[in-house]
Amino acid sequence: MSESATPSGDVPGEGFHPHLHDTPSPAAPHTRLHHIRADALDGDTAQTGGMRRFAAVSGRAVGSEKLWMGQTHVAPATSSSDHHHGASETAIYVVSGHPEFVFLDDSGAGPREVRLRTGPGDYVFVPPFVPHREENPDPGEEAVVVIARSTQEAVVVNLPELYALPAETD
C-alpha cells in the first residue's frame, strides 16, 4: 500500500468528514477557527461580587451558538456572592489555587452546606439552576479556573443568599 492511500484505497481524508463538502456555512464566523489570545480576554461580562469573569469564547466574541468559555479569578481570602447560572450547565477546570465550591444539599433530612475543596487539575460540574458560591480561603494566592457553559453568553443570576432549590413535583 502506498503512503498516500488509506487501507480502503481511498484518497487520504476523504470520507473522514463527509459533511464538510455538502454546503458551505452561510455565516462567516463559522468558516474559520478563532484564536483568542490570553491578553485579549473580555472582562465586559456578567459578574458576581468577589470574583472577576473574563470571556474568551462567546456569541459576541466569536459567534458561538451553544458555548461560552472563559476564566474566573477569585482574589485571596475572598468569597463570591451566591449565584446560579440559569439553564446553563457549567464545567469548571481548576488552573491554580485551591478554590472551594459551596452549595446546599437538601437530599437528606434538611439542607446542609457542602464544600468541594479543589486544587489544580480538578474539575467541577455545576448543574443548571444550582445556587452556589466560590471561595478562596488562601490568604496569599489567587484562584484561577477555566469555565465552559452550555450557553453562548455567561448567564449569571446573583442571589441574596445561598439556598437549596425546592424539590420538583410531578
Side-chain angles (χ1 to χ4, degrees), residues 95-115:
V95 175
S96 63
H98 295 276
E100 295 181 3
F101 298 85
V102 183
F103 68 99
L104 290 181
D105 181 359
D106 66 345
S107 62
R112 70 178 179 89
E113 187 176 278
V114 175
R115 288 179 177 279

Side-chain angles (χ1 to χ4, degrees), residues 47-51 53 79-86 102-104 126-134 155-166:
Q47 299 295 330
T48 297
M51 60 194 321
R53 290 187 185 90
S79 292
S80 76
S81 299
D82 300 324
H83 62 279
H84 69 75
H85 302 290
V102 183
F103 68 99
L104 290 181
V126 181
F129 299 104
V130 174
H132 62 283
R133 72 175 169 265
E134 287 84 30
V155 175
V156 177
V157 178
N158 292 306
L159 303 169
E161 63 183 88
L162 191 63
Y163 60 89
L165 292 175

Side-chain angles (χ1 to χ4, degrees), residues 4 9 23 30-31 34 37 39-40 49 61 64 70 76-77 88 90 105 113 128 135 137-138 146-147 151 157-158 166:
S4 63
T23 55
H30 303 291
T31 61
H34 295 266
R37 296 189 181 281
D39 63 357
S64 64
S88 294
T90 301
D105 181 359
E113 187 176 278
E135 296 183 359
D138 191 299
V146 169
I147 296 176
T151 54
V157 178
N158 292 306

Side-chain angles (χ1 to χ4, degrees), residues 6-106:
T6 62
S8 64
D10 297 333
V11 175
E14 283 296 314
F16 188 87
H17 295 287
H19 64 283
L20 291 179
H21 302 291
D22 291 347
T23 55
S25 173
H30 303 291
T31 61
R32 64 184 187 89
L33 300 182
H34 295 266
H35 178 188
I36 299 88
R37 296 189 181 281
D39 63 357
L41 298 181
D42 181 6
D44 184 22
T45 184
Q47 299 295 330
T48 297
M51 60 194 321
R52 188 82 178 118
R53 290 187 185 90
F54 299 92
V57 174
S58 67
R60 184 173 67 185
V62 300
S64 64
E65 296 177 2
K66 299 175 185 172
L67 178 71
W68 182 93
M69 189 171 191
Q71 288 182 6
T72 298
H73 297 239
V74 181
T78 302
S79 292
S80 76
S81 299
D82 300 324
H83 62 279
H84 69 75
H85 302 290
S88 294
E89 290 185 327
T90 301
I92 301 169
Y93 174 75
V94 180
V95 175
S96 63
H98 295 276
E100 295 181 3
F101 298 85
V102 183
F103 68 99
L104 290 181
D105 181 359
D106 66 345

